[in-house]
Amino acid sequence: MTSDAFLRDTTEDDLPIFFEQQLDPDANYMAAFTSGDPTDRDHFMARWTRIFEDDAIATQTILCDGHVAGYVASFEQFGKPSISYWLGKEYWGKGFATKAVLGFVGHINTRPLYARAAKDNIASIRVLEKCGFTICGEDKGFANARGEQVEEFIMRLGAS
């Protein structure tokens, strides 16, 4: 890693950058399970308004060298406490995701904690493994970004 990554509370000022990052077709393909139309700014803003209003969802912005690089979030998914993250493509492969996820889960006391990754998203699976997550199951679902069913790993951090 050539520089450092930090976490801070997410603000509305971060949203235009998040929106631009999620327009990248390669990033959408890797994430797989994305919104139906990543170009729909109104839908994007409405989703983030709901996130900000929901006390059960926590988000942190990832800063790399002072620039907004992405975010990490915790929420309930399929009845289980879960996390996900998004990192702008220009920040991939530099250790930022691992550092951000490690920092984020270090402040969450809930265990077990779950995450999901498309089976072919080797980089994301590796990030989660470096942060202590292990594969505990499999699932598949329709991935908007790919227009087809995609298999995914369910990963768990902590006791079952």
Side-chain angles (χ1 to χ4, degrees):
M1 185 162 53
T2 59
S3 53
D4 221 351
F6 298 95
L7 295 173
R8 67 155 166 75
D9 289 340
T10 300
T11 69
E12 288 186 31
D13 291 340
D14 300 329
L15 300 184
I17 297 166
F18 295 167
F19 181 76
E20 290 301 317
Q21 290 173 339
Q22 59 100 44
L23 292 175
D24 184 275
D26 293 333
N28 274 284
Y29 184 86
M30 292 309 295
F33 301 95
T34 61
S35 67
D37 179 5
T39 66
D40 186 343
R41 185 179 295 272
D42 291 338
H43 180 264
F44 174 87
M45 294 304 289
R47 183 174 68 96
W48 274 96
T49 297
R50 288 190 304 275
I51 289 169
F52 284 139
E53 292 173 350
D54 189 337
D55 291 335
I57 300 174
T59 63
Q60 295 259 277
T61 295
I62 305 166
L63 295 175
C64 299
D65 293 333
H67 300 282
V68 173
Y71 63 87
V72 185
S74 65
F75 51 92
E76 187 173 296
Q77 183 178 31
F78 304 115
K80 297 182 178 186
S82 302
I83 67 152
S84 69
Y85 68 94
W86 185 280
L87 196 65
K89 187 176 174 183
E90 63 269 30
Y91 300 98
W92 292 3
K94 299 176 183 173
F96 296 131
T98 300
K99 183 165 185 179
V101 171
L102 274 172
F104 190 79
V105 301
H107 289 96
I108 297 175
N109 296 322
T110 303
R111 298 292 186 270
L113 189 60
Y114 294 86
R116 290 172 173 250
K119 283 186 175 182
D120 62 356
N121 189 342
I122 303 303
S124 190
I125 293 165
R126 187 68 188 121
V127 164
L128 293 166
E129 288 175 336
K130 287 179 183 178
C131 295
F133 285 81
T134 57
I135 295 170
C136 66
E138 299 179 15
D139 200 2
K140 67 179 176 180
F142 185 79
N144 288 320
R146 300 183 188 184
E148 63 185 7
Q149 292 282 323
V150 171
E151 293 182 343
E152 64 182 336
F153 286 122
I154 303 167
M155 302 183 74
R156 180 179 58 227
L157 175 65
S160 56

